[in-house]
Amino acid sequence: MKIAIVIFDKFTDIDLFLMWDLLNRVRVADWEVRILGERDVHLSATNIEIKTHGRIEEANDADAVLFVSGQGTRDRIIDENWLAKFKLNAEKQFIGSICSGSLILARLGLLEGKTATTYPTSRKVLESFGVEIVEKPFVAHGRIATAGGCLAQQYLIGWVIENLADADWKNLVLKSIQPVGEGLFFDDAEDLTKLYAPLAKTV
Amino acid sequence: MKIAIVIFDKFTDIDLFLMWDLLNRVRVADWEVRILGERDVHLSATNIEIKTHGRIEEANDADAVLFVSGQGTRDRIIDENWLAKFKLNAEKQFIGSICSGSLILARLGLLEGKTATTYPTSRKVLESFGVEIVEKPFVAHGRIATAGGCLAQQYLIGWVIENLADADWKNLVLKSIQPVGEGLFFDDAEDLTKLYAPLAKTV
């Protein structure tokens, strides 16, 4: 299974790293997570330099494609050359976004006739694209999903893991980041070691 | 206000980036967040390269010092040269850890006579250092705090922001990452723009 996370300059740090970290806890054969961009390095909204593993065109062959968010989405949604590189297939690929990443899904024509969610500060732009917005953390229609509010990545990534691995991996991965005493407990220690097993495949 | 986040090789990605992102949303004068290490670049547990802003000795002059976690803590707690570089002052500095970062606090003598929390897989090692563990997401005694479970960074960073900025900033920053419809709402859009104001000071 190949999962592509698409980044760009001025992405929101936590919107890459929460999904990246969660997805990298899965230990199933040939599970591969790659950060894609249009350059070797992209700068986050807080000026963190992140090296990419490949170019955005790779997303077209992935089993799941996830778009991050951030101020940088405003430049992406008016960049026709960048948008044209995506030839995604909503019949075969799981495609999702966090926060303002939904603006990119809309511009790629993936939200036509669907309800969606987004970050509060992106609602008006998404509405201007003709999308009906709902005030929910996570909205999925078939293989297309949008999530709104950084921590709603838990719903989005849970959906990806359940579909590409199974519900047990979803539950264990999501449990592993909960606060101690509030979803994660000391008695879970042995189960958690499954998340640190040697990688099935090194990216 | 200067806040130091201490990293090392094999740190857990989300345990740096959740606190980093939250702390960078605060907009008060001279608020500065710096990632410190013993080299120019450290590698995360998933092989992400992160450039540091300075060396760990800088932590000794910070208003708050936060230790991340990850498999790498096991090497740090037996590295006497590394530990000796910290001359922290629990009377003047706010000092905290997420997950296994508590092992470093213990080795620095900061948890003597105190209860603390940690990640389930680190409980036994922390107990072996003579610390009384409690199954809670966040434990603070004066200016020393430990948090357990990645998402418990919300308690830890809320504590730092409330003490170094104020409760309004704490509440707004923590609200800004909640899932839409579950703590964050479309009507919050205007308030959220405060988090994207120009930086009071560029790091």
Side-chain angles (χ1 to χ4, degrees):
Chain A
M1 289 298 167
K2 186 169 156 185
I3 298 148
I5 304 178
V6 177
I7 70 167
F8 35 78
D9 283 340
K10 296 186 193 169
F11 68 86
T12 298
D13 301 68
I14 195 59
D15 287 345
L16 166 61
F17 283 104
L18 182 50
M19 61 170 84
W20 166 259
D21 188 315
L22 289 172
L23 288 167
N24 274 286
R25 291 174 190 229
V26 176
R27 292 289 181 275
V28 302
D30 295 323
W31 184 268
E32 192 178 13
V33 191
R34 288 169 68 83
I35 298 172
L36 306 181
E38 55 179 337
R39 292 198 308 279
D40 290 345
V41 175
H42 280 293
L43 267 185
S44 81
T46 62
N47 289 322
I48 297 286
E49 288 180 23
I50 295 297
K51 286 188 184 176
T52 53
H53 300 120
R55 290 295 189 266
I56 55 177
E57 292 87 339
E58 264 190 44
N60 300 328
D61 300 316
D63 297 289
V65 182
L66 300 168
F67 290 90
V68 301
S69 74
Q71 296 289 306
T73 52
R74 299 301 193 276
D75 295 323
R76 292 308 102 221
I77 60 175
I78 55 171
D79 184 341
E80 298 294 343
N81 287 331
W82 187 84
L83 293 165
K85 289 181 180 169
F86 293 100
K87 314 281 186 200
L88 303 183
N89 184 336
E91 301 292 315
K92 294 182 176 174
Q93 298 177 291
F94 289 91
I95 304 167
S97 63
I98 180 68
C99 296
S100 64
S102 60
L103 302 178
I104 298 169
L105 293 199
R107 286 289 281 111
L108 293 174
L110 296 165
L111 299 181
E112 278 172 26
K114 295 184 177 67
T115 57
T117 187
T118 191
Y119 200 64
T121 51
S122 298
R123 177 177 57 152
K124 287 182 183 173
V125 181
L126 189 56
E127 277 177 341
S128 77
F129 291 158
V131 178
E132 185 190 337
I133 321 285
V134 289
E135 196 169 39
K136 290 183 178 176
F138 180 68
V139 180
H141 297 285
R143 288 170 176 255
I144 307 279
T146 53
C150 307
L151 293 182
Q153 285 172 83
Q154 293 172 90
Y155 297 105
L156 176 66
I157 300 307
W159 173 78
V160 170
I161 295 175
E162 183 161 11
N163 277 290
L164 297 188
D166 60 37
D168 286 345
W169 276 109
K170 168 193 167 179
N171 293 335
L172 182 58
V173 167
L174 293 183
K175 173 187 275 197
S176 73
I177 62 162
Q178 301 308 310
V180 164
E182 298 179 357
L184 179 65
F185 301 89
F186 287 144
D187 284 346
D188 293 318
E190 195 177 326
D191 272 354
L192 292 172
T193 60
K194 294 177 191 165
L195 302 170
Y196 306 109
L199 285 167
K201 179 173 178 176
T202 304
V203 177
Chain B
M1 289 300 167
K2 185 169 157 185
I3 298 148
I5 304 177
V6 177
I7 69 168
F8 35 77
D9 284 339
K10 296 186 192 169
F11 68 86
T12 298
D13 301 69
I14 194 61
D15 287 345
L16 167 61
F17 284 103
L18 182 50
M19 62 170 83
W20 166 259
D21 188 316
L22 289 172
L23 288 167
N24 274 287
R25 292 174 189 228
V26 176
R27 292 289 180 276
V28 301
D30 295 322
W31 184 268
E32 190 178 14
V33 191
R34 287 169 67 84
I35 298 173
L36 307 181
E38 55 179 337
R39 292 199 308 279
D40 290 345
V41 175
H42 280 292
L43 267 184
S44 81
T46 63
N47 289 321
I48 297 286
E49 289 180 23
I50 295 298
K51 287 187 184 177
T52 53
H53 300 120
R55 290 293 189 268
I56 54 177
E57 291 87 341
E58 264 191 41
N60 300 327
D61 300 316
D63 297 289
V65 182
L66 300 167
F67 290 89
V68 301
S69 75
Q71 296 290 304
T73 52
R74 300 301 191 277
D75 294 323
R76 293 306 102 222
I77 59 175
I78 55 171
D79 184 340
E80 299 294 342
N81 286 332
W82 188 84
L83 293 165
K85 289 180 180 169
F86 293 100
K87 314 279 185 202
L88 304 183
N89 184 337
E91 300 294 313
K92 294 184 177 174
Q93 299 177 290
F94 289 91
I95 304 168
S97 63
I98 180 67
C99 295
S100 65
S102 59
L103 302 178
I104 298 168
L105 294 200
R107 286 288 281 112
L108 292 175
L110 296 164
L111 299 181
E112 278 172 27
K114 295 184 176 67
T115 57
T117 186
T118 190
Y119 201 63
T121 50
S122 299
R123 176 178 56 153
K124 288 181 183 173
V125 181
L126 188 56
E127 277 177 344
S128 78
F129 291 157
V131 178
E132 184 190 338
I133 322 285
V134 289
E135 194 169 39
K136 289 184 179 176
F138 179 70
V139 180
H141 296 285
R143 288 169 178 254
I144 306 280
T146 53
C150 307
L151 293 182
Q153 284 172 83
Q154 293 171 89
Y155 297 105
L156 177 66
I157 300 308
W159 174 78
V160 170
I161 295 175
E162 183 161 13
N163 277 290
L164 297 188
D166 60 38
D168 286 345
W169 277 109
K170 167 194 167 177
N171 293 336
L172 182 59
V173 166
L174 293 183
K175 173 188 275 198
S176 73
I177 63 162
Q178 299 308 310
V180 165
E182 299 179 356
L184 179 65
F185 300 90
F186 288 144
D187 283 346
D188 293 317
E190 195 177 327
D191 271 354
L192 293 171
T193 60
K194 294 176 191 166
L195 303 169
Y196 306 109
L199 285 168
K201 178 172 178 175
T202 305
V203 177

